[in-house]
């Protein structure tokens, strides 16, 4: 566990305050990346979950593939870890009405109370410390996701309703297409 914490802290220090340059990055086939993550997770932790991917195959993102993979994988695996067996996790990669690409991970899990939402992406913040230990993790995953989004000029938005589920939404600027 300590090794994972150190690795996540090193990743955070690389990302923190270091935006991608205008011509930095590569075109990423995000739809393919999301299908690969979903298929991999279905073989391991998500054997009894439903993962539905709705993605625009032609929508490419300019950025760091390893960072986008890390953020996407984190969001999808969190949705699986924090929902009941048999839950549905929906992963969406599309453009909104303003032409901005976005990645949303929706679940029908227990949801998160409003007072926790602003703090979820803080380092080591946990809604339920006891439950988080059951699932492992370092408490740094959502901080990494937030910093990946910021490094790509985007943001992490979280919407959740107790008893209904949660949506973690990465919004990127149109210039990243």
């Amino acid at each position: 566990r300590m090794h994972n914490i150190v690795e996540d802290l090193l990743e955070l220090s690389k990302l923190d305050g270091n935006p991608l340059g205008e011509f930095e990055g590569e075109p990423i086939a995000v739809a393919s990346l999301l299908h690969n993550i979903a298929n991999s997770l279905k073989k391991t932790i998500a054997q009894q979950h439903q993962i539905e991917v709705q993605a625009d195959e032609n929508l490419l993102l300019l950025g760091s593939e390893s960072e986008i993979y890390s953020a996407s994988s984190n969001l999808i695996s969190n949705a699986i870890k924090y929902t009941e067996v048999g839950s549905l996790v929906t992963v969406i990669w599309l453009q909104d009405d303003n032409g901005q690409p976005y990645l949303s991970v929706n679940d029908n899990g227990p949801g998160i109370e409003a007072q926790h939402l602003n703090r979820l992406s803080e380092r080591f913040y946990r809604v339920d410390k006891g439950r988080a230990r059951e699932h492992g993790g370092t408490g740094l995953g959502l901080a990494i996701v937030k910093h990946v989004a910021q490094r790509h000029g985007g943001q992490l938005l979280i919407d959740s309703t107790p008893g209904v589920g949660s949506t973690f939404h990465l919004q990127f600027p149109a210039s990243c297409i």
Side-chain angles (χ1 to χ4, degrees), residues 35-53:
H35 286 291
N36 289 340
I37 292 169
N39 290 335
S40 175
L41 290 173
K42 284 179 187 176
K43 293 176 185 172
T44 57
I45 66 170
Q47 293 172 351
Q48 298 175 349
H49 281 70
Q50 299 173 49
I51 304 175
E52 181 180 302
V53 178

Side-chain angles (χ1 to χ4, degrees), residues 6-112:
V6 169
E7 287 208 357
D8 282 354
L9 284 170
L10 289 171
E11 185 173 353
L12 264 174
S13 69
K14 264 188 349 187
L15 298 169
D16 197 15
N18 186 17
L20 286 173
E22 185 177 344
F23 301 105
E24 201 174 345
E26 59 190 311
I28 305 164
V30 177
S32 176
L33 182 138
L34 294 173
H35 286 291
N36 289 340
I37 292 169
N39 290 335
S40 175
L41 290 173
K42 284 179 187 176
K43 293 176 185 172
T44 57
I45 66 170
Q47 293 172 351
Q48 298 175 349
H49 281 70
Q50 299 173 49
I51 304 175
E52 181 180 302
V53 178
Q54 302 168 13
D56 180 345
E57 301 289 334
N58 297 314
L59 181 58
L60 304 181
L61 183 74
L62 184 62
S64 167
E65 184 168 358
S66 64
E67 292 172 16
I68 297 300
Y69 182 93
S70 173
S72 302
S73 178
N74 186 295
L75 291 176
I76 298 167
S77 61
N78 276 356
I80 293 163
K81 287 180 195 175
Y82 294 103
T83 57
E84 297 295 322
V85 169
S87 293
L88 172 64
V89 174
T90 305
V91 182
I92 300 168
W93 170 246
L94 296 171
Q95 280 180 281
D96 66 15
D97 294 337
N98 297 322
Q100 293 183 290
Y102 69 91
L103 169 67
S104 285
V105 178
N106 311 298
D107 67 57
N108 59 354
I112 304 161

Side-chain angles (χ1 to χ4, degrees), residues 130-147:
R131 186 166 181 245
R133 283 191 197 105
E134 288 174 16
H135 297 287
T138 62
L140 296 168
L142 289 177
I144 290 171
V145 170
K146 177 182 81 173
H147 282 60

